[in-house]
Amino acid sequence: MSLKGFHIVFITVASLLCAFLVLWSFVIREETNSTATAIGIIGIIGLLAMPLYGWYFLRKAQREHLE
């Protein structure tokens, strides 16, 4: 698997994990506490950061002609 392909898979899996953390923290979890809220906030940050990182990497890969 190429570096570009690995990154696409990694970003997809990491984004799904962040989405699960947000759902678990704010929807599925019955008892709310500060730890669950913090995990949910980290998940939201990850959901915003992962696609931005993917976009940045793909642009860089195109400039350096990575396959």
Side-chain angles (χ1 to χ4, degrees), residues 1-47:
M1 180 180 279
S2 67
L3 179 65
K4 186 176 176 181
F6 172 77
H7 270 78
I8 292 170
V9 170
F10 172 77
I11 292 166
T12 303
V13 171
S15 296
L16 291 173
L17 175 63
C18 290
F20 172 75
L21 289 175
V22 171
L23 286 174
W24 174 80
S25 178
F26 296 121
V27 178
I28 297 172
R29 184 139 170 106
E30 294 175 3
E31 300 174 7
T32 57
N33 56 27
S34 60
T35 305
T37 304
I39 290 173
I41 292 170
I42 290 170
I44 291 170
I45 292 169
L47 274 174

